[in-house]
């Protein structure tokens, strides 16, 4: 490997030395991480630092009168970096005239103008919005005939070498450790080539492609060797889905089973991660085991629950020796004996459990998660998609209704892209037959629906649905959400369909949130004046939609927080179908009986378009009701294993404070 001289004076490394933008233990150098890793509070802050580094490099090269050769990645991870670079171009005059760029990969076979192509992605995210000359950006060509591929790949790499090699390589990381599309098994000296995609990679991409069967089996990827030859490498990872692969790449052995671990051999690499992606790193997961920590309440709760889980011992049975053997002796020294700590943590966990998510009327609420007053609360549940309310907090939703609160649900997006074509056809057929069957003469409606039917017959899966078809799909989901509301027992007048504009692109790629989106949320909050808001705090959602939906809520809350009614408003965050809060974070846990679990399942079944092979199955082959049940049962088992009461299932919440 020819490693060139490195330039350590980057923004990220400066951040590393002054500790800015990082979290973790206090002060000490972390030697067990084999790749410098910067942890940022969120992906936005992290993306800004990376964009700034790229912009500085481009400007520095401009000053030197040299081209700036960038290696670029696609996928969800670099999107904000590109958005910030575009903003810098527009607002700060950052020019890309001297940039020459090479993308890592492209699906094979893939037409450059397909909505799934990385060509199109790059144009939409970056190239079309900056002044990079058309002849300066290169992506592997997914249409090259098979017989010519080998030569083509060699020439792609030669082109990079001809312009002096990559100054900066931006990377994402696959859940299986792939960099570019160098899947596990790729060798450290591998070159640019056609590669067969892993099942897990295809499953992860199936979201964008509307089903696994549509995902190409192959791709052209830059090899590991040319990636390692870049003078500077920055790898981005966001969300807890990336946490274990990041830990293995950063702390584990160099192995072909995790190609990102090859980066341990690079002299100027930084992994830039958010807190969720960092959550499995030793310094984050068990910081007390490697360094001195500040033992605040949260840290104690985290350490004790971790100890209890590791030793498979209920909290109240932990003894001093357990603390001493597991790096927690300084905590013990502060308290004298473990019994007091055990009791303290046990009580805190105990106080999170409540069957009264809206507060228990006429009860002492000193140690309850919610206030007793007002006894009848106005509750506003935000549901990013039309089924998140019931999937993620169906048991709590039901209790709130049964306990007499005025519950409203705001369905933030139409969810129309997640309805399969044949499901739409079924409903269109029904409408046409319905009209005929009842002699309803509505030529306009019939034409609209017949056109949609025709469109679906001829559409190729790479096309965006017509507006009519999207409307039909949205109505299907709206009907399902209404059915759930009726089932739970709220009038459909309390179901608010917001159809937030950012979502309405017809593809998985959404628009950024705009003023209109925020205003819709702000108006609804103003109209209802809720005492409780529930929202999806699922920031690692593979669709990204949950995060955007939360951003809009947060922006609206920030604007409304000074209003009088907001003083009485508490905000609770739930998690979507993918993951649960960590036990030490949970502030309210609502238990469910076996019957309540069954009832929730029936509520989820109202979403028939999301059953039996959904469009956005993703990597998890379980249906949504199965994921929800297993997760809720898992939370209950966790409480049980820590020595608290044994319930059938539990839904968990974290309070968000202004
Ligand atoms: C994309 C690429 C891939 C992605 C990786 C992560 O050009 O080469 O390695 O970086 O699959 O994808 P996201 O960012 O979508 O999680």
């Amino acid at each position: 490997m020819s490693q060139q001289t490195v330039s350590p004076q980057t923004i990220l490394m400066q951040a590393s030395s002054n500790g800015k933008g990082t979290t973790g233990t206090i002060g000490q150098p972390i030697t067990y991480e084999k790749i410098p890793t910067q942890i940022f509070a969120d992906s936005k802050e992290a993306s800004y630092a990376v964009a700034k580094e790229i912009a500085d490099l481009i400007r520095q090269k401009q000053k030197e009168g040299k081209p700036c050769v960038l290696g670029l990645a696609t996928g969800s991870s670099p999107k904000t970096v590109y958005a910030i670079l575009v903003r810098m171009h527009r607002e700060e005059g950052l020019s890309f005239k001297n940039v020459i760029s090479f993308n890592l990969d492209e699906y094979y076979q893939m037409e450059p103008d397909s909505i799934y192509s990385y060509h199109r992605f790059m144009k939409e995210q970056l190239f079309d919005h900056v002044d990079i000359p058309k002849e300066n950006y290169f992506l592997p060509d997914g249409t090259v005939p098979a017989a010519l591929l080998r030569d083509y790949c060699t020439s792609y790499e030669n082109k990079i070498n001809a312009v002096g090699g990559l100054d900066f390589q931006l990377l994402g990381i696959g859940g299986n450790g792939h960099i570019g599309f160098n899947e596990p098994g790729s060798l450290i000296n591998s070159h640019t080539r056609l590669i067969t995609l892993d099942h897990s990679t295809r499953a992860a991409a199936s979201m964008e492609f509307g089903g696994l069967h549509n995902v190409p089996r192959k791709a052209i990827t830059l090899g590991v060797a040319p990636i390692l030859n870049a003078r500077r490498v920055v790898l981005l990872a966001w969300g807890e889905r990336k946490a274990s692969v990041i830990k293995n790449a950063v702390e584990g052995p160099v192995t072909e089973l995790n190609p990102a671990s090859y980066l341990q051999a690079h002299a100027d690499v930084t992994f830039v991660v958010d807190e969720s992606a960092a959550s499995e790193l030793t310094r984050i997961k068990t910081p007390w085991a490697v360094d001195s920590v500040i033992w605040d309440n949260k840290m104690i709760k985290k350490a004790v629950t971790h100890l209890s889980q590791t030793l498979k011992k209920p909290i109240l049975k932990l003894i001093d020796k357990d603390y001493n053997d597991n790096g927690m002796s300084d905590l013990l020294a502060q308290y004298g004996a473990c019994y007091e700590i055990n009791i303290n943590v046990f009580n805190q966990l105990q106080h999170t459990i409540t069957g009264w998510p809206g507060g228990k009327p006429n009860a002492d609420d000193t140690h309850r998660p919610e206030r007793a007053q007002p006894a009848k609360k106005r509750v506003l549940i935000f549901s990013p998609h039309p089924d998140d309310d019931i999937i993620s907090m169906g048991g709590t939703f039901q209790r709130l209704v049964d306990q007499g609160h005025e519950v409203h649900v705001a369905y933030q997006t139409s969810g129309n892209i997640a309805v399969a074509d044949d499901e739409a056809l079924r409903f269109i057929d029904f409408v046409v037959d319905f009209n005929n069957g009842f002699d309803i003469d509505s030529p306009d409606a019939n034409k609209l629906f017949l056109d949609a039917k025709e469109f679906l017959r001829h559409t190729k899966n790479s096309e965006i649905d017509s507006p009519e078809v999207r409307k039909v799909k949205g109505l299907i989901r709206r009907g399902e959400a209404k059915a759930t509301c009726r089932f739970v027992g709220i009038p459909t007048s309390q179901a608010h369909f917001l159809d937030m504009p950012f979502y309405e692109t017809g593809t998985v790629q959404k628009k950024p949130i705009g003023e209109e989106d925020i205003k819709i949320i702000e108006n609804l909050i103003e109209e209802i004046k809720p005492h409780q808001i529930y929202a999806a705090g699922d920031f690692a959602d593979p669709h990204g939609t949950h995060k955007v939906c939360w951003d809009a809520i947060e922006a609206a809350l920030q604007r409304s927080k000074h209003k009088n009614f907001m003083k009485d408003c508490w905000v609770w965050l739930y998690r979507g179908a993918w993951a649960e809060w960590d036990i030490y974070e949970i502030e309210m846990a609502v238990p469910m009986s076996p019957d309540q679990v069954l009832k929730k399942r029936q509520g989820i079944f109202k979403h028939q378009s999301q059953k039996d092979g959904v469009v956005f199955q993703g990597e998890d082959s379980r249906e949504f009701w199965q994921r929800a049940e297993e997760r809720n049962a898992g939370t209950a088992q966790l409480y049980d294993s820590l020595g608290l009461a044994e319930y059938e299932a539990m839904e968990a919440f974290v309070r968000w404070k202004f």
Side-chain angles (χ1 to χ4, degrees):
M1 181 178 58
S2 71
Q3 199 67 67
Q4 309 191 26
T5 344
V6 296
S7 141
Q9 295 310 313
T10 63
I11 293 293
L12 295 168
M13 298 315 282
Q14 282 161 13
S16 158
S17 58
N18 66 17
K20 269 191 198 150
T22 65
T23 57
T25 53
I26 40 178
Q28 309 303 315
I30 313 293
T31 50
Y32 49 91
E33 286 176 14
K34 301 168 194 164
I35 294 178
T37 303
Q38 288 291 304
I39 306 167
F40 286 82
D42 58 42
S43 58
K44 221 179 194 167
E45 214 180 284
S47 299
Y48 181 77
V50 176
K52 171 103 175 55
E53 179 176 336
I54 295 173
D56 287 351
L57 183 66
I58 295 173
R59 288 195 182 105
Q60 181 198 320
K61 291 281 179 182
Q62 268 157 16
K63 262 192 224 146
E64 293 165 9
K66 289 183 184 158
C68 180
V69 187
L70 301 178
L72 298 177
T74 53
S76 58
S77 307
K79 271 163 96 177
T80 308
V81 173
Y82 296 147
I84 295 168
L85 286 171
V86 169
R87 189 185 55 68
M88 287 173 162
H89 169 70
R90 283 196 186 133
E91 293 172 13
E92 297 168 19
L94 174 69
S95 170
F96 286 71
K97 286 227 161 86
N98 67 326
V99 170
I100 302 177
S101 78
F102 294 89
N103 261 80
L104 283 165
D105 37 26
E106 177 59 283
Y107 291 108
Y108 187 80
Q109 299 247 333
M110 183 60 71
E111 294 292 330
D113 57 353
S114 160
I115 56 168
Y116 303 122
S117 84
Y118 284 164
H119 277 75
R120 184 147 169 181
F121 175 99
M122 286 308 299
K123 280 163 73 63
E124 285 174 359
Q125 302 291 323
L126 184 66
F127 300 149
D128 282 354
H129 311 289
V130 295
D131 59 347
I132 184 169
K134 277 200 168 54
E135 59 282 10
N136 276 18
Y137 60 79
F138 303 92
L139 290 100
D141 180 354
T143 65
V144 171
L148 306 180
L149 260 175
R150 193 182 280 254
D151 286 349
Y152 173 79
C153 290
T154 310
S155 71
Y156 192 74
E157 256 186 59
N158 286 345
K159 233 183 271 171
I160 298 176
N161 295 334
V163 293
L166 297 167
D167 292 309
F168 182 103
Q169 175 67 60
L170 187 63
L171 294 175
I173 180 170
N176 60 2
H178 72 216
I179 47 175
F181 275 136
N182 293 285
E183 300 285 26
S186 297
L187 298 178
I188 194 165
N189 56 3
S190 57
H191 281 272
T192 303
R193 66 205 184 282
L194 185 69
I195 190 156
T196 301
L197 296 172
D198 258 22
H199 174 75
S200 67
T201 299
R202 295 185 62 238
S206 65
M207 296 281 189
E208 281 80 41
F209 282 86
L212 187 63
H213 56 286
N214 294 326
V215 185
R217 292 185 178 276
K218 293 186 184 284
I220 301 172
T221 182
L222 200 68
V224 176
I227 291 175
L228 290 176
N229 271 341
R231 285 180 274 282
R232 163 92 174 130
V233 178
V234 171
L235 180 145
L236 314 175
W238 323 133
E240 60 231 301
R241 287 178 309 130
K242 301 285 171 74
S244 67
V245 77
I246 286 292
K247 181 205 159 76
N248 294 337
V250 170
E251 297 185 13
V254 175
T255 163
E256 64 187 44
L257 299 177
N258 182 351
S261 68
Y262 289 139
L263 293 163
Q264 289 181 18
H266 196 281
D268 191 10
V269 58
T270 303
F271 279 17
V272 174
V273 299
D274 65 4
E275 285 181 357
S276 312
S279 59
E280 288 294 320
L281 291 175
T282 308
R283 72 167 141 143
I284 300 297
K285 190 160 181 131
T286 57
W288 52 87
V290 295
D291 212 338
S292 44
V293 295
I294 298 161
W295 285 111
D296 58 17
N297 202 35
K298 198 167 178 185
M299 189 67 86
I300 295 175
K301 215 169 152 191
K302 180 172 176 169
V304 173
T305 49
H306 183 266
L307 184 64
S308 165
Q309 284 174 264
T310 313
L311 301 180
K312 298 192 175 22
K313 251 182 167 186
I315 290 172
L316 294 177
K317 287 190 178 176
L318 294 171
I319 57 174
D320 285 4
K321 183 172 184 311
D322 298 330
Y323 277 67
N324 286 326
D325 290 352
N326 289 278
M328 290 162 63
S329 44
D330 56 335
L331 174 62
L332 214 49
Q334 271 183 38
Y335 278 79
C338 73
Y339 187 67
E340 206 185 318
I341 312 172
N342 292 349
I343 285 279
N344 181 315
V345 173
F346 179 88
N347 282 340
Q348 285 187 54
L349 291 171
Q350 179 67 41
H351 294 151
T352 62
I353 303 173
T354 183
W356 298 85
K360 186 168 185 181
N362 308 317
D364 175 8
D365 57 10
T366 322
H367 295 300
R368 290 180 174 277
E370 249 298 348
R371 304 146 292 169
Q373 292 301 327
K376 298 287 175 234
K377 294 187 170 67
R378 280 185 303 277
V379 178
L380 176 55
I381 300 173
F382 281 104
S383 182
H385 300 97
D387 52 0
D388 290 306
D389 53 344
I390 189 76
I391 290 173
S392 301
M393 54 168 290
T396 307
F397 183 4
Q398 187 70 64
R399 272 185 194 259
L400 288 163
V401 173
D402 293 347
Q403 290 166 2
H405 302 287
E406 181 188 315
V407 182
H408 294 254
V409 188
Y411 297 100
Q412 293 183 265
T413 68
S414 68
N416 56 12
I417 58 163
V419 177
D421 289 351
D422 58 351
E423 190 72 6
L425 267 181
R426 190 160 75 86
F427 276 82
I428 293 169
D429 264 352
F430 176 82
V431 171
V432 172
D433 287 349
F434 181 92
N435 283 349
N436 290 338
F438 289 98
D439 288 333
I440 298 170
D441 187 22
S442 73
D444 286 351
N446 277 358
K447 180 174 179 337
L448 201 88
F449 283 117
L450 287 172
D451 283 353
K453 197 168 159 182
E454 223 23 49
F455 176 83
L456 284 177
R457 282 232 173 86
H458 300 295
T459 185
K460 282 195 284 175
N461 103 73
S462 58
E463 282 170 29
I464 296 175
D465 283 341
S466 69
E468 292 78 16
V469 169
R470 269 150 61 190
K471 178 98 186 165
V472 171
K473 290 182 172 181
L475 288 177
I476 292 172
R477 298 212 67 184
R478 183 179 283 217
E480 291 168 346
K482 281 186 182 171
T484 298
C485 288
R486 278 193 296 270
F487 180 76
V488 176
I490 63 165
T492 43
S493 57
Q494 283 166 220
H496 307 265
F497 294 94
L498 307 185
D499 290 341
M500 288 171 69
F502 86 90
Y503 183 87
E504 298 303 319
T505 58
T507 72
V508 172
Q509 310 291 349
K510 306 297 183 315
K511 288 182 277 186
I513 44 166
E515 176 57 27
E516 219 186 328
D517 298 293
I518 299 168
K519 202 76 203 148
I520 290 172
I521 308 274
E522 198 186 343
N523 290 346
L524 187 68
I525 294 175
E526 174 79 42
E527 181 192 323
I528 294 172
K529 300 190 173 44
H531 302 102
Q532 277 194 327
I533 286 176
Y534 288 86
D538 193 3
F539 308 139
D541 163 30
H543 302 223
T545 298
H546 283 212
K547 175 75 171 82
V548 181
C549 283
W550 167 249
D551 288 346
I553 297 171
E554 190 185 0
L557 288 173
Q558 292 299 353
R559 289 183 191 180
S560 312
K561 69 180 177 193
H562 308 295
K563 296 186 181 153
N564 234 352
F565 70 89
M566 286 303 286
K567 293 194 184 77
D568 288 330
C569 180
W570 286 20
V571 179
W572 291 99
L573 300 180
Y574 62 83
R575 280 269 164 113
W578 296 275
E580 187 53 280
W581 299 105
D582 274 322
I583 182 76
Y584 67 93
E585 292 175 306
I586 294 173
E587 290 172 277
M588 177 160 76
V590 181
M592 284 185 281
S593 69
D595 281 349
Q596 287 167 328
V597 171
L598 213 57
K599 176 134 201 230
K600 172 170 169 174
R601 186 191 300 176
Q602 286 157 356
I604 298 176
F605 283 174
K606 299 292 172 204
H607 294 268
Q608 289 178 358
S609 72
Q610 302 305 298
K611 266 189 71 38
D612 304 327
V614 298
V615 178
F616 294 107
Q617 188 71 55
E619 290 157 84
D620 190 337
S621 62
R622 294 171 302 166
E623 291 206 6
F624 287 119
W625 67 272
Q626 292 171 310
R627 298 184 208 189
E629 278 186 20
E630 283 172 33
R631 200 183 82 191
N632 295 158
T635 309
Q637 281 151 17
L638 189 52
Y639 270 81
D640 177 31
S641 70
L642 295 171
L644 290 110
E646 183 179 354
Y647 290 99
E648 179 75 1
M650 275 176 161
E651 289 171 346
F653 303 87
V654 165
R655 195 171 155 207
W656 184 82
K657 300 201 179 89
F658 298 95

